[in-house]
């Protein structure tokens, strides 16, 4: 289980509810079935209208990525590639055919089969790069669905609030009930904004982040297989992959720097 996703949701909604109680709010007032129907039903309906069924199915398929933490062991893959390279140098590429049944990673398994079959390096790169692109593109399509829901949700919240206010203002016979009724109407806006920023947008971001990690792993596999096919020294292979990991780490660190950070002088 992805503890960060689960813990983040609990912390986020827990903080909102706790703060509301501290401000003397009644939690029961936040449970409004009509508001939930407008916001969540409207959001899902808008998403269904916006995307083809194939992309909706892709989003449902990869939804589990948000809560399941698939550990990517880069070190293990690097060692596996180095061992394959060492054996290829000693026994030849055909000897690697015996290793194929023991490989779990589908891209590595397919690529190694191409190497053993004697396919040219450029052809191997084209085939595997296509596989890498399709895998990442599928995850991006899934993320787009959740991000779209994050865009529709606040709007649906406003629609729910306006509908609630229309109902309230159409009946002003009892001024004492006007305040509580308006407060209830704004629950829809709360549902819309909070679900967008704590659920939908974050789901899309999480899937995209994991897609980048998987792409990095796949790129390492492609480079490793091409090095094996070219007969490079295992040490060179290790150094090349190490450089790729270091460069990826630097890019990730730069991406996480605050946008407004400046250098004083």
């Amino acid at each position: 289980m992805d503890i960060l996703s689960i813990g983040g949701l609990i912390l986020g909604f827990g903080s909102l509810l706790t703060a509301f109680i501290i401000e003397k709010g009644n939690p029961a007032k936040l449970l409004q079935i009509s508001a939930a129907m407008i916001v969540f039903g409207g959001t899902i309906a808008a998403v269904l209208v916006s995307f083809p069924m194939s992309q909706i199915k892709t989003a449902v398929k990869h939804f589990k990525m948000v809560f399941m933490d698939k550990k990517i062991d880069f070190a293990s893959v690097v060692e596996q590639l180095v061992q394959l390279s060492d054996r290829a140098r000693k026994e030849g590429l055909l000897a690697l055919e015996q290793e194929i049944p023991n490989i779990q990673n589908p891209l590595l398994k397919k690529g190694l089969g191409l190497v053993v079959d004697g396919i040219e390096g450029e052809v191997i790169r084209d085939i595997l790069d296509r596989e890498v692109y399709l895998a990442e593109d599928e995850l991006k399509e899934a993320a787009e669905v959740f991000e779209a829901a994050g865009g529709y949700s606040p709007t649906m919240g406003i629609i729910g609030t306006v509908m609630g206010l229309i109902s309230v203002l159409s009946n002003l016979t009892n001024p004492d009930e006007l305040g509580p009724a308006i407060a209830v109407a704004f629950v829809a806006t709360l549902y819309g904004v909070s679900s967008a920023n704590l659920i939908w947008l974050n789901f899309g971001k999480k899937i995209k982040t994991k897609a980048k990690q998987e792409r990095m792993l796949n790129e390492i596999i492609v480079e490793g297989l091409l090095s094996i096919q070219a007969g490079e020294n295992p040490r060179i292979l290790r150094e090349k992959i190490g450089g790729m990991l270091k460069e990826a780490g630097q890019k990730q660190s730069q991406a996480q720097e605050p946008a407004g950070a400046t250098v004083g002088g």
Side-chain angles (χ1 to χ4, degrees):
M1 300 295 290
D2 191 328
I3 302 300
L4 291 180
S5 293
I6 298 173
L9 287 174
I10 294 174
L11 177 62
F13 284 108
S15 298
L16 292 178
L17 183 59
T18 302
F20 184 70
I21 294 174
I22 291 175
E23 293 297 324
K24 311 299 183 184
N26 183 1
K29 296 294 184 180
L30 298 179
L31 300 177
Q32 301 296 331
I33 301 299
S34 58
M37 290 177 62
I38 293 171
V39 174
F40 294 105
T43 298
I44 293 173
V47 168
L48 293 177
V49 173
S50 301
F51 297 95
M53 181 57 68
S54 59
Q55 194 164 349
I56 297 295
K57 290 180 178 179
T58 298
V60 174
K61 173 185 174 182
H62 294 291
F63 170 71
K64 61 183 180 181
M65 290 184 67
V66 178
F67 298 101
M68 300 301 295
D69 192 9
K70 178 183 176 183
K71 184 177 181 181
I72 298 180
D73 191 351
F74 289 98
S76 177
V77 173
V78 172
E79 288 303 317
Q80 190 174 22
L81 289 169
V82 170
Q83 291 173 9
L84 291 171
S85 176
D86 186 57
R87 182 170 183 181
R89 293 260 296 180
K90 293 178 180 178
E91 305 177 29
L93 292 176
L94 290 178
L96 299 181
E97 188 172 8
Q98 302 174 8
E99 300 288 343
I100 295 177
N102 301 323
I103 294 176
Q104 302 296 322
N105 186 286
L107 184 68
L108 179 55
K109 191 169 189 174
K110 180 176 183 176
L112 190 59
L114 295 173
V115 171
V116 172
D117 288 341
I119 307 299
E120 294 182 0
E122 287 301 318
V123 178
I124 293 176
R125 179 181 288 278
D126 288 342
I127 294 174
L128 297 185
D129 280 351
R130 182 63 178 172
E131 293 284 336
V132 172
Y133 168 78
L134 290 175
E136 184 182 30
D137 189 60
E138 182 175 324
L139 293 178
K140 285 183 176 180
E141 285 188 354
E144 285 177 1
V145 173
F146 292 109
E147 289 177 340
Y152 296 134
S153 186
T155 304
M156 291 300 166
I158 294 174
I159 291 174
T161 297
V162 171
M163 291 175 64
L165 290 177
I166 291 174
S167 177
V168 170
L169 297 178
S170 64
N171 184 12
L172 299 177
T173 56
N174 192 346
D176 293 336
E177 297 180 358
L178 185 60
I182 293 177
V184 170
F186 276 99
V187 170
T189 299
L190 175 63
Y191 281 1
V193 175
S194 61
S195 63
N197 290 278
L198 288 176
I199 299 178
W200 307 122
L201 294 177
N202 295 333
F203 284 4
K205 180 65 175 178
K206 176 73 80 169
I207 292 175
K208 279 188 173 181
T209 299
K210 292 186 176 181
K212 289 180 181 178
Q213 294 175 344
E214 291 195 8
R215 179 181 177 85
M216 184 71 238
L217 178 67
N218 290 336
E219 288 179 347
I220 286 174
I221 291 173
V222 172
E223 291 300 325
L225 288 170
L226 291 175
S227 294
I228 293 172
Q229 192 269 347
E232 294 181 355
N233 189 295
R235 291 185 179 179
I236 295 178
L237 186 152
R238 188 188 294 274
E239 289 295 326
K240 182 186 295 186
I241 294 176
M244 292 176 63
L245 288 172
K246 184 177 180 180
E247 182 180 359
Q250 290 175 347
K251 288 181 178 180
Q252 185 176 4
S253 297
Q254 292 173 358
Q256 293 176 348
E257 288 180 357
T262 57
V263 179

